[in-house]
Amino acid sequence: MAAHMSRCRTWSRVQRFGIAAYRKYSSGGGYPNISLSTPLPGIPKPVFASVDGQEKYETKITTLENGLKVASQNKFGQFCTVGILVNSGSRHEAKYPSGIAHFLEKLAFSSTAQYGSKDEILLTLEKHGGICDCQTSRDTTMYAVSAEVKGLDTVVSLLSDAVLQPRLLDDEIEMTKMAVRFELEDLNMRPDPEPLLTEMIHAAAYRGNTVGLPRFCPVDNVDKIDKTMLHSYLRSYYCPERMVLAGVGIEHEQLVECARKYLLDAKPVWGTSTAANVDLSVAQYTGGIIKMEKDMSDVSLGPTPIPELTHIMIGLESCSFLEDDFIPFAVLNMMMGGGGSFSAGGPGKGMFTRLYLNVLNRHHWMYNATSYHHSYEDSGLLCIHASADPRQVREMVEIITREFIQMAGNAGEMELERAKTQLKSMLMMNLESRPVIFEDVGRQVLSTGKRKLPHELCHLISNVTAGDIKRVATKMLRSKPAVAALGDLTELPSYEHIQAALSSKDGRLPRMYRLFR
């Protein structure tokens, strides 16, 4: 306390008399007469982060002798995010019962050759302030750890063990079966139907192939999956040339050194991996409809229950994320925007997007109208999800088909600029987060072998013109629609009528004349 007060008094003297006067004031031998710009003896020279340094945000990539790619992005801070991304997901399960990727996601970070249980793994990570997670999508499986930079060696060793040496014990597989069954029940009961509709629209758009295969394990397959089948799948897909070790917040050389130590000569528990049995099918867009009649009246009971709604999702084929048209499609998706009728916020929340201005603001009875864009290495799907009272389904479908037709019209200069600015803003804000940078680095390097930097993407977005939007929308409208419908479908128009509306000039459904209503 006394020392603190002494420092305060010293600083107040400096403020009162000025530095020069204070040196004179204190030249009684108590303080050395050193200029403040002179480095203090015995203290290491500071290294300052600079934007224009050598890094310039570049992503460094090294390919090891076994085909494994190591990618890193420097980001200053005490923590790093490191993980292994595998080119494997539900789209690769054509030769296997669907659901293997779902099982592997749940089994991740369980007991391994080095660790006796999941608890041991978590305790090891806790020593470095770390957490772990595994996520699978239709085309990628991602094992990730966020921890202190000092624990990098332990983290890479743990990742190598979790990915290549899982024990897959019988009791772990039984627990996974229970977890999968619970998740499937939850999927059908939750008030938000978006995950279920996304599953249905993919199944309708790519019937029975690649990204149309179920992402969640079907109930009938839960008991079919065992250790032998998992090993057979892992042998085909978990090989080094289909993997990327990505890291954010660490030195590249350090990460490469750890990769050589733990991943170069690592022998997987299932034996030598062979990429001979890999399913290389290209996504075949088929279009079509999938309907699920379901009583939605008791989805959310309580003092303020959600009213009974029918949910419709209509999609058309867009393009792969490897094509040049991917950026105009991303801008078009942003321009459509939308959301729920109770979303709060101003222009930054998309209140000036087309689905708000033309749909939710004009039709009070619509509860939701949202645009989504799903893109893969060989195809893509742009869809609109809408929900309303079951009695107004026909009108709702017509409103959505009209919006699709109007996409091929002329985009206004202001709405296009707003969509481009919003897309750039969303991109840059998301890339503030270390785990998001990690996923971006990993996915780009896995699919293309390199990474487009944010400023390059922003430049491509800025170059999108109204002509580009019109061109990609016109091309998209030539494809057959994919339709997913959930709830009370009494008033749902036929697939042929929806197709006819999307082929017409104004997007209107063919008129139906009924004798009795």
Side-chain angles (χ1 to χ4, degrees):
M1 187 70 180
H4 173 70
M5 288 178 72
S6 168
R7 279 199 300 273
C8 290
R9 280 198 297 273
T10 304
W11 178 237
S12 66
R13 285 170 191 154
V14 171
Q15 286 178 312
R16 227 175 21 247
F17 303 111
I19 287 170
Y22 181 65
R23 280 211 195 96
K24 186 179 173 185
Y25 170 80
S26 64
S27 57
Y31 300 92
N33 197 359
I34 301 173
S35 158
L36 288 178
S37 59
T38 309
L40 294 171
I43 291 177
K45 190 180 176 187
V47 179
F48 297 104
S50 98
V51 193
D52 297 312
Q54 214 170 350
E55 280 67 279
K56 260 199 173 166
Y57 298 124
E58 69 184 287
T59 302
K60 294 179 179 174
I61 302 164
T62 302
T63 305
L64 301 188
E65 291 79 355
N66 63 353
L68 176 90
K69 289 187 181 70
V70 181
S72 78
Q73 178 79 43
N74 213 340
K75 183 175 168 69
F76 297 94
Q78 196 180 341
F79 280 78
C80 64
T81 299
V82 182
I84 293 175
L85 289 93
V86 190
N87 189 358
S88 143
S90 59
R91 71 169 293 163
H92 300 108
E93 293 170 354
K95 299 175 186 174
Y96 298 86
S98 288
I100 288 180
H102 192 185
F103 261 68
L104 290 171
E105 178 186 59
K106 296 277 172 270
L107 283 162
F109 297 104
S110 294
S111 64
T112 67
Q114 200 179 323
Y115 300 93
S117 67
K118 189 163 196 159
D119 287 346
E120 270 189 48
I121 288 178
L122 296 176
L123 283 168
T124 305
L125 286 173
E126 263 181 38
K127 290 173 189 170
H128 301 286
I131 52 168
C132 61
D133 185 29
C134 176
Q135 290 178 6
T136 59
S137 61
R138 293 177 193 280
D139 52 4
T140 314
T141 301
M142 186 169 67
Y143 298 80
V145 172
S146 281
E148 266 192 313
V149 177
K150 286 182 283 187
L152 181 66
D153 194 272
T154 310
V155 165
V156 178
S157 163
L158 190 150
L159 279 165
S160 168
D161 221 39
V163 175
L164 301 173
Q165 303 279 334
R167 285 188 188 168
L168 304 178
L169 302 173
D170 290 343
D171 59 338
E172 288 173 347
I173 291 174
E174 283 307 311
M175 285 295 288
T176 299
K177 287 180 179 179
M178 283 172 60
V180 166
R181 282 196 187 98
F182 175 79
E183 197 169 326
L184 293 174
E185 278 180 37
D186 178 59
L187 192 68
N188 286 309
M189 286 165 61
R190 61 170 66 176
D192 174 24
E194 199 265 322
L196 189 58
L197 279 165
T198 303
E199 189 79 350
M200 289 165 68
I201 196 89
H202 278 83
Y206 305 92
R207 198 170 285 273
N209 75 89
T210 57
V211 291
L213 297 173
R215 193 174 97 62
F216 299 101
C217 179
V219 180
D220 300 341
N221 289 358
V222 174
D223 290 320
K224 293 179 188 173
I225 296 170
D226 57 16
K227 186 174 180 175
T228 312
M229 192 179 286
L230 291 169
H231 273 185
S232 166
Y233 179 87
L234 291 164
R235 199 174 295 118
S236 297
Y237 290 97
Y238 278 46
C239 41
E241 56 269 30
R242 296 179 66 84
M243 292 184 186
V244 168
L245 173 69
V248 176
I250 29 95
E251 294 293 331
H252 186 70
E253 290 70 28
Q254 211 179 338
L255 189 62
V256 171
E257 190 185 318
C258 289
R260 289 188 184 282
K261 189 173 171 184
Y262 297 110
L263 289 160
L264 186 58
D265 300 314
K267 296 282 182 285
V269 72
W270 47 82
T272 312
S273 291
T274 53
N277 298 323
V278 168
D279 177 36
L280 298 172
S281 309
V282 174
Q284 301 296 315
Y285 182 87
T286 59
I289 185 166
I290 287 188
K291 297 190 274 191
M292 190 187 285
E293 287 269 1
K294 192 178 173 191
D295 179 13
M296 306 284 277
S297 57
D298 58 352
V299 163
S300 172
L301 300 172
T304 53
I306 294 174
E308 184 183 353
L309 300 173
T310 294
H311 302 272
I312 307 291
M313 203 179 252
I314 299 175
L316 294 167
E317 188 181 19
S318 59
C319 73
S320 137
F321 57 65
L322 299 174
E323 294 176 48
D324 292 338
D325 283 347
F326 172 64
I327 301 290
F329 269 116
V331 174
L332 174 61
N333 178 53
M334 213 67 188
M335 199 161 80
M336 298 310 293
S341 53
F342 297 109
S343 298
K349 294 277 178 70
M351 289 297 192
F352 284 92
T353 56
R354 281 192 185 180
L355 292 179
Y356 262 113
L357 292 175
N358 303 349
V359 178
L360 294 170
N361 287 1
R362 293 185 185 180
H363 308 282
H364 65 91
W365 45 268
M366 280 190 69
Y367 278 77
N368 191 353
T370 314
S371 174
Y372 296 96
H373 187 216
H374 306 278
S375 199
Y376 305 97
E377 64 183 10
D378 45 14
S379 187
L381 189 65
L382 190 131
C383 38
I384 294 177
H385 165 210
S387 50
D389 185 281
R391 290 165 296 183
Q392 290 173 299
V393 169
R394 186 179 173 82
E395 202 177 337
M396 170 172 72
V397 169
E398 189 169 80
I399 287 165
I400 298 308
T401 53
R402 281 212 304 263
E403 284 304 313
F404 269 113
I405 294 295
Q406 283 166 19
M407 286 182 196
N410 293 318
E413 190 184 336
M414 190 179 284
E415 68 170 346
L416 180 62
E417 282 307 311
R418 187 183 281 123
K420 283 154 64 170
T421 306
Q422 212 170 339
L423 183 59
K424 286 187 276 192
S425 151
M426 192 179 77
L427 175 75
M428 299 309 280
M429 280 194 288
N430 284 340
L431 288 172
E432 289 283 310
S433 158
R434 194 180 60 249
V436 174
I437 302 172
F438 157 76
E439 191 173 340
D440 183 50
V441 169
R443 281 179 181 276
Q444 285 203 49
V445 173
L446 192 64
S447 55
T448 65
K450 57 183 190 291
R451 183 187 179 219
K452 270 186 182 153
L453 297 175
H455 66 83
E456 294 176 68
L457 291 169
C458 286
H459 180 67
L460 291 170
I461 293 166
S462 298
N463 289 343
V464 172
T465 63
D468 292 329
I469 300 291
K470 189 172 184 174
R471 177 176 53 78
V472 297
T474 306
K475 178 183 158 191
M476 178 179 72
L477 284 163
R478 292 193 198 113
S479 64
K480 280 177 70 178
V483 182
L486 176 69
D488 178 349
L489 308 178
T490 317
E491 294 292 316
L492 179 71
S494 68
Y495 179 74
E496 290 69 29
H497 280 190
I498 295 172
Q499 198 172 353
L502 287 166
S503 306
S504 67
K505 285 182 179 176
D506 57 3
R508 289 186 179 277
L509 289 163
R511 295 298 100 194
M512 283 180 68
Y513 301 101
R514 296 186 197 170
L515 232 53
F516 304 102
R517 279 203 171 271

